Amino acid sequence: MAFFNWRLNEKWVYNQDVGIQHTYGYPAFTRFFLRSQINRQLSGLFSLHGGMIFLYKINEDDNNAIELRPWVGGKLRWPGFWRLNFSHYLRIEQRFRHTNNINDWENNFRMRYKLSTDIPINHPSLSAKTFYGVLSYEFLSESFDVDIRFTQADVHRFDAGVGYRQNVANRYEATVVGFQARDEATNNYTLSSLVLFLKYKRYINWL
């Protein structure tokens, strides 16, 4: 996964990332994605976000899928103490999905909340040549589904990993992401999948 961040001026930031995912479990699939986002900084602590992601999923059973996800959201960076700087991210998105065996587009409405922080290890802050830990928790709610045929119910997501900030422009991260979904038979949350993400992040300042 490659992530690019362009700071256009003091108030506006444009993000672009592209990546590929592959799972070896059952059912196996490969997924390509392209995501664009624009951010408006309203204050030192709060920003508004809007964007869209395009995904193409190749399934083992040849039931391939195309998905579009436009969204709007907001991020609050608070509190900060010691080496920790927390961020709260609330986002609402509309999902449109089309598969080979269904003529119509399925859609649902999803709300997401994410709490995250990076933890500098060998320096007090994220300066150049800093190793850091990556931690986050995200709750994904599908309580407002328009089309109940395509729903995974509520999902919990946990991220844990390590990163390295080479300089002001380049970062590298490796994170393990776990998903907990509700088991329809027992109505309990169980670990549904584990995913390894390898990320390259590039930050470009146009000021």
Side-chain angles (χ1 to χ4, degrees):
M1 173 181 174
F3 169 89
F4 302 93
N5 175 290
W6 285 272
R7 178 167 293 279
L8 307 178
N9 54 45
E10 293 182 354
K11 298 293 184 180
W12 292 94
V13 175
Y14 175 74
N15 296 331
Q16 179 77 61
D17 54 338
V18 60
I20 181 173
Q21 251 181 291
H22 180 75
T23 65
Y24 295 93
Y26 180 82
F29 69 84
T30 301
R31 183 164 65 179
F32 303 89
F33 67 88
L34 177 67
R35 176 168 41 204
S36 298
Q37 177 175 289
I38 191 77
N39 307 334
R40 174 65 162 87
Q41 196 72 35
L42 297 183
S43 69
L45 299 178
F46 185 72
S47 59
L48 293 177
H49 302 242
M52 177 179 289
I53 184 171
F54 168 81
L55 303 104
Y56 183 71
K57 185 177 180 181
I58 302 174
N59 292 304
E60 191 178 48
D61 59 3
D62 200 36
N63 185 26
N64 300 338
I66 297 173
E67 191 171 349
L68 299 174
R69 302 179 187 175
W71 75 80
V72 293
K75 178 179 286 187
L76 173 65
R77 298 184 180 275
W78 180 88
F81 56 89
W82 187 56
R83 298 187 178 190
L84 304 178
N85 289 284
F86 291 92
S87 67
H88 307 261
Y89 183 42
L90 181 65
R91 169 169 130 186
I92 55 175
E93 62 185 30
Q94 188 73 37
R95 296 188 168 195
F96 302 94
R97 187 173 187 265
H98 184 272
T99 57
N100 289 350
N101 61 354
I102 298 177
N103 293 327
D104 297 330
W105 284 78
E106 298 177 328
N107 70 91
N108 62 50
F109 178 78
R110 173 175 277 192
M111 181 178 66
R112 310 174 69 150
Y113 166 74
K114 184 176 184 179
L115 174 64
S116 62
T117 186
D118 294 334
I119 309 170
I121 297 173
N122 58 322
H123 292 110
S125 62
L126 287 179
S127 55
K129 299 181 180 180
T130 298
F131 289 94
Y132 57 93
V134 179
L135 287 176
S136 71
Y137 162 75
E138 186 172 11
F139 175 71
L140 301 89
S141 172
E142 293 198 7
S143 303
F144 306 99
D145 281 353
V146 176
D147 190 339
I148 199 65
R149 291 175 300 164
F150 178 63
T151 178
Q152 298 172 341
D154 297 339
V155 175
H156 298 277
R157 169 177 169 164
F158 305 89
D159 294 35
V162 293
Y164 177 68
R165 184 180 187 185
Q166 180 182 8
N167 49 44
V168 69
N170 299 291
R171 296 190 193 186
Y172 310 88
E173 292 182 358
T175 57
V176 175
V177 181
F179 294 88
Q180 276 190 335
R182 192 186 299 275
D183 188 298
E184 293 184 2
T186 64
N187 206 34
N188 295 324
Y189 284 98
T190 58
L191 185 65
S192 57
S193 61
L194 282 173
V195 182
L196 173 65
F197 282 93
L198 302 176
K199 303 178 184 179
Y200 166 67
K201 296 184 174 183
R202 174 72 176 180
Y203 294 82
I204 302 169
N205 193 337
W206 283 357
L207 295 179

